[in-house]
Amino acid sequence: MGRWEPDARGRLANAALELYSEHGFEQTTVAEIAKRAGLTERTFFRHYADKREVLFAGSGQLEELLVRAVADAPESAAPIDAVAVGLDAISEVFADRRDHARKRQAVIMANAELHERELIKLASMSAALADTLRRRGVAGPAASLTAEAGVAVFKVGFERWVAATEQREMSQLMRESLDDLKAVLTGR
Amino acid sequence: MGRWEPDARGRLANAALELYSEHGFEQTTVAEIAKRAGLTERTFFRHYADKREVLFAGSGQLEELLVRAVADAPESAAPIDAVAVGLDAISEVFADRRDHARKRQAVIMANAELHERELIKLASMSAALADTLRRRGVAGPAASLTAEAGVAVFKVGFERWVAATEQREMSQLMRESLDDLKAVLTGR
């Protein structure tokens, strides 16, 4: 990237999300995204493989962040508490991005193919989380089940956080969702 | 379907699974499936939209069965116990199909696209389950969380059931997986 394109990547992402929100994902072209960002198509393709990639470029980083936080949780932490540490780490990253996240969520829920892609990213997160828990010594199905529970909490907590009228912080909603999951499972 | 093709659908499904197991999903053609089943391609396409559909034709029925069992569970049953009734109903259907299920699982896990399709079917199951729980009066995020927990138990219980050396019944493995999930969440 040249010095004359400060944060080209971020500008392209914002322009893309604006256009997807205004005209729909399918109706938007890479040429329009580049134009809105004041950049060229060539620059777009230096940063993203295609227009779908703009929406999912952050998923890999999110997974890494979650996995690292869970791996680094105190050795004495129970598996589900290590996962809660991971959810806290994710919540910090999202703190200032609620408006962006709401727009992205609306775009994704409006398109079946994007929604499927999102589900696949969440499944990848669950598999990575299970691997991390196994490396922490969690044996057998408990690793997969704890990982699935963590991703379920993330999914539901995230949906609550991006809901139109919701004002509470993500970290609080994740904690509440985890408590809710414990409650429904134990019938309390 | 003419009288001269008794259980053409089942014969095509078995022939397809055999060929996918022997040569791989990608390498198998519809012409080969029809030939192995002793039928024509035209008959194949009367039963299935394409060769992928053969593997997922049962997913819709499975979801219906689960949803109906949960909807019909005793009114007094806690949400997670209604889900357990649904998992029992599924287990009955699979009882005699372990060999078929093992082969299908191996084919699906060997192909990224099929694996993604399977994840999407599971997500659809979770959404249908959450809707059913809402109709049973389960409010707010508890419906989604209970549904996600149910699908997590199904996923992990199913993986245990198709494992090469596993001999216990699916219903038992589902119950154990649910107990394991409760245990990891409550730290017991």
Side-chain angles (χ1 to χ4, degrees):
Chain A
M1 288 159 269
R3 284 166 303 171
W4 58 91
E5 294 165 12
D7 194 24
R9 191 175 168 85
R11 278 159 60 199
L12 287 163
N14 287 335
L17 199 53
E18 277 174 26
L19 288 163
Y20 299 164
S21 300
E22 291 165 19
H23 309 302
F25 174 76
E26 300 217 8
Q27 285 69 44
T28 301
T29 66
V30 167
E32 287 165 343
I33 297 168
K35 195 180 167 198
R36 173 78 60 107
L39 296 164
T40 63
E41 282 189 66
R42 205 176 141 192
T43 302
F44 179 94
F45 288 114
R46 271 215 300 275
H47 292 279
Y48 300 104
D50 54 39
K51 64 177 185 165
R52 193 175 72 170
E53 185 56 25
V54 184
L55 292 166
F56 295 100
S59 302
Q61 286 162 279
L62 196 66
E63 184 176 308
E64 254 176 59
L65 178 72
L66 174 66
V67 158
R68 202 168 345 120
V70 172
D72 292 348
E75 221 177 305
S76 61
I80 194 65
D81 296 330
V83 169
V85 168
L87 294 174
D88 262 345
I90 285 182
S91 301
E92 263 183 57
V93 169
F94 274 107
D96 299 325
R97 313 202 64 197
R98 198 178 217 156
D99 185 52
H100 182 94
R102 279 187 174 130
K103 276 189 196 146
R104 179 182 177 279
Q105 186 83 347
V107 169
I108 283 175
M109 298 310 282
N111 181 295
E113 190 215 328
L114 296 176
H115 190 200
E116 292 187 354
R117 179 60 34 192
E118 183 83 335
L119 291 173
I120 289 157
K121 295 284 179 180
L122 288 171
S124 158
M125 196 187 265
S126 175
L129 200 48
D131 280 344
T132 307
L133 290 167
R134 276 182 211 109
R135 276 196 298 273
R136 283 179 64 90
V138 183
S144 300
L145 286 164
T146 310
E148 292 284 340
V151 171
V153 167
F154 173 69
K155 205 171 148 186
V156 172
F158 193 87
E159 276 164 18
R160 293 167 87 168
W161 182 66
V162 294
T165 56
E166 183 56 64
Q167 302 207 332
R168 283 168 293 175
E169 296 299 329
M170 188 191 274
S171 56
Q172 191 188 338
L173 292 164
M174 292 294 170
R175 277 193 294 272
E176 283 185 21
S177 299
L178 179 53
D179 287 343
D180 288 347
L181 180 61
K182 289 179 186 179
V184 297
L185 274 161
T186 53
R188 269 183 292 120
Chain B
M1 283 158 272
R3 284 166 301 173
W4 58 91
E5 293 167 12
D7 194 26
R9 193 175 168 83
R11 277 160 60 198
L12 286 163
N14 288 335
L17 199 54
E18 278 175 26
L19 288 162
Y20 298 164
S21 299
E22 291 166 18
H23 309 302
F25 173 76
E26 300 216 10
Q27 284 68 45
T28 302
T29 65
V30 167
E32 289 165 344
I33 297 168
K35 194 180 168 198
R36 171 79 60 108
L39 297 163
T40 63
E41 280 189 68
R42 208 176 139 188
T43 302
F44 178 93
F45 287 114
R46 272 214 301 275
H47 291 279
Y48 299 104
D50 55 37
K51 65 177 184 165
R52 195 175 70 171
E53 185 59 23
V54 184
L55 292 166
F56 294 100
S59 301
Q61 286 161 278
L62 194 67
E63 183 178 310
E64 255 177 56
L65 178 73
L66 174 67
V67 158
R68 204 172 339 123
V70 172
D72 293 348
E75 224 178 301
S76 60
I80 194 67
D81 296 330
V83 168
V85 169
L87 294 174
D88 263 344
I90 286 181
S91 301
E92 265 183 55
V93 170
F94 276 106
D96 299 325
R97 313 201 64 200
R98 198 179 217 153
D99 185 51
H100 182 94
R102 277 188 175 132
K103 275 189 196 145
R104 179 182 177 277
Q105 186 82 348
V107 169
I108 283 176
M109 298 312 280
N111 180 296
E113 190 214 332
L114 296 175
H115 190 199
E116 292 188 355
R117 179 60 36 194
E118 182 84 332
L119 292 172
I120 290 157
K121 296 284 180 182
L122 288 172
S124 158
M125 195 187 264
S126 174
L129 200 47
D131 280 346
T132 307
L133 290 167
R134 276 182 211 107
R135 278 196 296 275
R136 283 179 64 92
V138 182
S144 302
L145 287 164
T146 310
E148 292 284 340
V151 171
V153 167
F154 173 69
K155 206 172 147 183
V156 171
F158 192 87
E159 276 164 18
R160 292 167 88 168
W161 182 66
V162 293
T165 56
E166 183 57 64
Q167 302 207 333
R168 284 168 291 174
E169 296 298 328
M170 187 192 276
S171 56
Q172 190 189 339
L173 292 164
M174 292 293 171
R175 278 193 293 272
E176 282 185 22
S177 298
L178 178 53
D179 287 343
D180 287 346
L181 180 60
K182 288 179 185 178
V184 295
L185 274 161
T186 54
R188 270 182 291 123

